[in-house]
Amino acid sequence: MTTNCLFCKIIAGDIPSNKVYEDKDVFAFHDIHPKAPTHVLVIPKQHIATLTDCDDNALLGALMDRVRHIADDELKLAAGYRVIINVREGGGQEVFHLHAHILGGKKLPF
Ligand code: 5GP
Ligand code: ZN
């Protein structure tokens, strides 16, 4: 746990969230400002600031595996969905704890 990290506080339950899924590796919850009818964030429990910093291929594999499990089986986004990882400021990253966005529930425009 990194004390000043918003998402570490959400994993710890110190900040409430609308949880979708949790296992030993990842935590998933609804985005507070949804940009699609379904907008869920999937984060590793281990604090990693950004994709560039992650050299753990097993963790990256587990993250992607859980993303598809959550989207397909938990959220049942049968028509499809988009997965986005914003990387550092130029990529639009605002929270520096690695996270994948799952967006779905409507036809996404681009
Ligand atoms: P980023 O821009 O870093 O890729 O995405 C961060 C996301 O976290 C944004 O979509 C933002 O709406 C979401 N977010 C920021 N603060 C909170 C919060 O306190 N709770 C939840 N559930 N989502 C948050
Ligand atoms: Zn963190």
Side-chain angles (χ1 to χ4, degrees):
M1 160 123 181
T2 299
T3 12
N4 273 333
C5 172
L6 174 67
F7 286 177
C8 282
K9 288 177 183 164
I10 284 178
I11 293 166
D14 295 340
I15 291 175
S17 70
N18 190 352
K19 183 168 90 173
V20 170
Y21 176 87
E22 180 177 12
D23 65 22
K24 68 178 177 39
D25 298 316
V26 308
F27 190 94
F29 55 101
H30 288 278
D31 196 291
I32 205 165
H33 298 303
K35 293 170 186 69
T38 300
H39 186 172
V40 164
L41 302 174
V42 185
I43 67 180
K45 286 190 168 173
Q46 185 184 331
H47 178 86
I48 295 161
T50 192
L51 186 62
T52 308
D53 294 345
C54 187
D55 54 11
D56 184 342
N57 287 346
L59 185 148
L60 291 176
L63 181 65
M64 278 301 115
D65 178 65
R66 285 340 118 69
V67 162
R68 69 178 172 185
H69 165 70
I70 292 162
D72 291 319
D73 305 328
E74 306 285 341
L75 302 170
K76 301 191 189 305
L77 296 170
Y81 50 88
R82 183 170 297 165
V83 179
I84 295 173
I85 298 177
N86 295 325
V87 182
R88 311 204 307 277
E89 286 87 348
Q93 185 175 4
E94 292 178 355
V95 178
F96 280 76
H97 180 129
L98 175 62
H99 53 281
H101 298 251
I102 298 171
L103 295 156
K106 69 171 184 187
K107 179 79 177 157
L108 295 163
F110 57 84

